Structures are given as C-alpha cells and as structure tokens.
Amino acid sequence: MTKKQPTPPAEDPQLEAMLAKAFRRSVPAAEPEAAAAEEVKPVPPEEQRCGLIAIVGKPNVGKSTLLNALVGQKVSITSRKAQTTRHRITGVRTLGHTQFVFVDTPGFQTRHGNALNRSLNKTVTGAVADVDLVVFVVEAGRFYPEDAKVLELLPTSVPVILLANKFDLIHRRAELAPWLAEMQTRRPFAEIVPMSANSARDVSRVYAICEKYLPQQPWMYGADELTDRSEKFLASEIVREKLFRLTGDELPYTSTVIIDKFEEEGRMRRIAATIVVEREGHKGMIIGEKGEKLKRIGTEARVELEKLLDAKVFLELWVKVRSGWADDDARVRSFGYE
C-alpha cells in the first residue's frame, strides 16, 4: 500500500510548482472494479483505440512487476536476479474502448557482451523501434549510468513517459524536487509519473495517462486475451522463475530452460523440460542433496502452472550441461532467443 506523502513546504512556490507539474496529470482513472465492468461491453471497431506501449529500463527496475500489474495477471516472471526477463513479452489489457498492448523487454545489459546479452539487447532495441509510446522505468529519485544508456537508445520520434517506480520508498515528496529538475534536463519527457507498481490506484493512473497517446484504430487482440505467448512458452518461463528464486545468487543467470515435450489432453498438460547449465557444478547445485532441490523446483512450478493454465499438470525436469552455450550465437538461437 502506498504511503500517504506529506505536502511540500508552502513557502517554496518554485518547489511546489515543479512537484505539481509531475503530479497534476496523475488524475485517477476509473477504479479497477468499474473498469473491469466496462470490459464486457462490445465496442464497434470504429470507436476502438489501440496501441503498442514498450516498457523499457535497466535490469531489476521493476518492469515485469509493472507489466503484471497492468495486465491484471502474471504474464512475465520475476525474481531478484538480474536479466530474469529474456524475451519480448506482450501483455494485453482491454478497458472500455481502449486496448493497451504492453511490451515488456529485457533489461538492457551494459556489463557483458556474450552472445546471450547481445541477443537480449537486440530485443530491447527492436521493441522500441515501432511503438506508439515508450514507458521508461527508473527508480524514483535515482538515475544510474545504466539508466542513461537505455535513454540513449530511445527514439526521438516516439513520446516517452518517465515512470518513477518505487515512489512509495520516498519518505517526503519534496525530496524528489532536485531529481525532477535533473530529469527535465535529460530529455523533454511527455510525462513524468511517480508511482508504485504495487498500488492499484497508481496502476489505474497509468492507464489514463497512456490512453491519450494511443491512436484510434481497431484492437489487435480479442477483448479477453492477456498475452500473445503460448502455454508452452509460459511453462518454460515459470520453471525458470522457480529455478532462479530457489537457487538465489549462487546460480549464474546464463542457466535456461528448454521445453522438450508439451502435450495437451483435455484439461491435462504433460510437460517435460530440460534445465541447461554451463558447468557440472551448477548441475549438482540445482539437483541438490538426494534430488531435493530439483524436486522443489518442479513442485512449485507445477502448482503455479496448474493455477495459471487451469489444468492438471504432470511435469518432468532434467538437468544437462552445455558448456559455453551463452557465448555461442547458434546455440543461443536454437534455445529460442532472437
């Protein structure tokens, strides 16, 4: 829950004006309950509004958490490990006459230049090339060299909203004033939006702000669709999320998951997946003593998949070593990276 922020000192009109400029456009949209009620109403194509919105930022800034909040369901995995998101993930939310097509992207990597990171960075630059709006996510009150690198990639022909996430961690609203002044010198942002992705009211404000930048055109997806990704893809991502969360910082981020079998039998899914690592030691780390770690990864993934797919899931997991795969362009492509 976002904490109520104290009002800045009235005796500083310049400070108040600067803060008001960032906050004044954040007029609450319809409450989530009211918006959800609008979803069931048919809308003639000529009255529909729709557009692509790229969500970009450095690793671990909260892009996937924001996407899931905007869509209203988990479509992108999250963990504390950098570069958890590795693919262009599309999340769709249709409210009233407007369909928001959000595109989550990997965090732009500046520290390493292996084949995997080159592929991820290519995904980022490709995602911002043909969208109607860019939401550039940073931490409220902070701007790192990695943030500046992402900002350099953004096209000047597309409006960019600076979304200052984790605003609930700022104790006094006035503390943002110097930071806001600095941000305004970096680029003429279309909007500056302080928010917390964990606040339903803040998420509603993002809809209202983004909507006016989207063109009037027919929707790209059905009104009840939430993502363009397949169940097979979601299965691999959920397994990878549990892998990262249960191994912590010990396991290198280059580990990946390949789906070997995905069979549908009515309300049942039979899935076999391979966890690929680069070293033999990593394999033992994942399997754990008497296979307990691998069993736990499988159990947690299965439980979440059953909830997500609304089906009974049988999941088999294997672990294989593929030395140097993350720096092999051909193998990176064969594992499903662009």
Side-chain angles (χ1 to χ4, degrees):
M1 181 70 67
T2 303
K3 298 179 180 178
K4 185 177 180 181
Q5 305 301 319
T7 305
E11 64 270 19
D12 189 344
Q14 185 174 8
L15 170 61
E16 180 65 24
M18 184 180 299
L19 290 167
K21 183 176 181 181
F23 283 86
R24 69 169 182 257
R25 298 188 180 99
S26 299
V27 179
E31 290 298 318
E33 294 80 8
E38 294 179 8
E39 293 182 65
V40 299
K41 297 178 181 179
V43 180
E46 63 272 14
E47 297 180 15
Q48 295 175 356
R49 183 185 295 271
C50 179
L52 291 168
I53 306 166
I55 301 175
V56 302
K58 72 178 185 66
N60 273 14
V61 77
K63 300 182 298 299
S64 296
T65 300
L66 174 64
L67 175 69
N68 293 336
L70 289 166
V71 173
Q73 181 174 309
K74 184 174 182 176
V75 294
S76 186
I77 65 172
T78 61
S79 81
R80 292 184 296 105
K81 189 179 287 291
Q83 294 291 46
T84 299
T85 299
R86 293 186 182 170
H87 302 269
R88 173 175 168 151
I89 309 289
T90 298
V92 183
R93 186 70 184 271
T94 304
L95 298 172
H97 289 232
T98 304
Q99 184 171 90
F100 303 85
V101 183
F102 298 101
V103 181
D104 188 19
T105 60
F108 192 80
Q109 179 61 257
T110 59
R111 297 181 181 179
H112 308 288
N114 63 20
L116 175 60
N117 285 331
R118 289 195 297 271
S119 172
L120 302 187
N121 286 350
K122 183 179 178 181
T123 299
V124 178
T125 54
V128 300
D130 189 25
V131 295
D132 300 288
L133 177 67
V134 173
V135 174
F136 176 36
V137 185
V138 299
E139 292 182 35
R142 299 177 181 273
F143 198 82
Y144 298 95
E146 294 89 344
D147 294 314
K149 183 65 176 178
V150 176
L151 185 58
E152 291 174 6
L153 299 173
L154 303 184
T156 57
S157 57
V158 178
V160 177
I161 291 175
L162 178 68
L163 194 149
N165 195 22
K166 304 180 183 179
F167 175 63
D168 51 322
L169 301 181
I170 302 294
H171 299 298
R172 296 183 67 251
R173 196 172 79 170
E175 294 176 12
L176 275 185
W179 182 79
L180 286 171
E182 179 191 350
M183 292 302 100
Q184 290 168 343
T185 66
R186 291 184 176 273
R187 182 186 177 118
F189 293 104
E191 314 258 357
I192 298 179
V193 184
M195 72 161 293
S196 167
N198 296 318
S199 165
R201 181 173 291 273
D202 284 356
V203 170
S204 285
R205 289 202 296 264
V206 174
Y207 297 134
I209 292 167
C210 291
E211 184 176 30
K212 56 192 174 185
Y213 295 97
L214 304 185
Q216 194 154 358
Q217 62 180 356
W219 297 340
M220 301 177 187
Y221 299 91
D224 59 347
E225 290 187 68
L226 299 178
T227 183
D228 64 343
R229 288 295 187 171
S230 66
E231 290 185 352
K232 179 179 177 180
F233 173 82
L234 293 175
S236 69
E237 289 290 272
I238 292 298
V239 173
R240 191 163 60 85
E241 178 186 66
K242 303 312 175 189
L243 170 67
F244 282 176
R245 288 191 172 189
L246 293 175
T247 55
D249 296 328
E250 304 171 33
L251 188 69
Y253 82 94
T254 49
S255 306
T256 195
V257 175
I258 308 299
I259 299 297
D260 304 307
K261 179 180 74 175
F262 190 98
E263 297 176 350
E264 299 184 33
E265 301 175 7
R267 292 177 61 84
M268 182 184 297
R269 305 291 185 271
R270 296 186 182 276
I271 305 170
T274 298
I275 297 172
V276 179
V277 295
E278 290 195 299
R279 297 180 183 177
E280 196 66 36
H282 300 158
K283 180 178 179 179
M285 186 187 306
I286 293 171
I287 294 174
E289 187 175 354
K290 297 181 180 180
E292 287 302 313
K293 179 65 68 67
L294 184 63
K295 182 179 178 181
R296 186 178 173 191
I297 291 170
T299 298
E300 293 198 10
R302 178 184 56 77
V303 169
E304 182 157 342
L305 282 169
E306 288 185 335
K307 181 179 178 181
L308 182 66
L309 304 179
D310 190 26
K312 181 70 176 177
V313 173
F314 289 93
L315 176 63
E316 293 180 286
L317 293 182
W318 310 92
V319 185
K320 294 182 180 179
V321 179
R322 294 291 182 268
S323 180
W325 79 265
D327 204 22
D328 183 330
D329 288 294
R331 184 159 280 176
V332 165
R333 286 193 298 271
S334 73
F335 284 173
Y337 296 99
E338 298 176 5

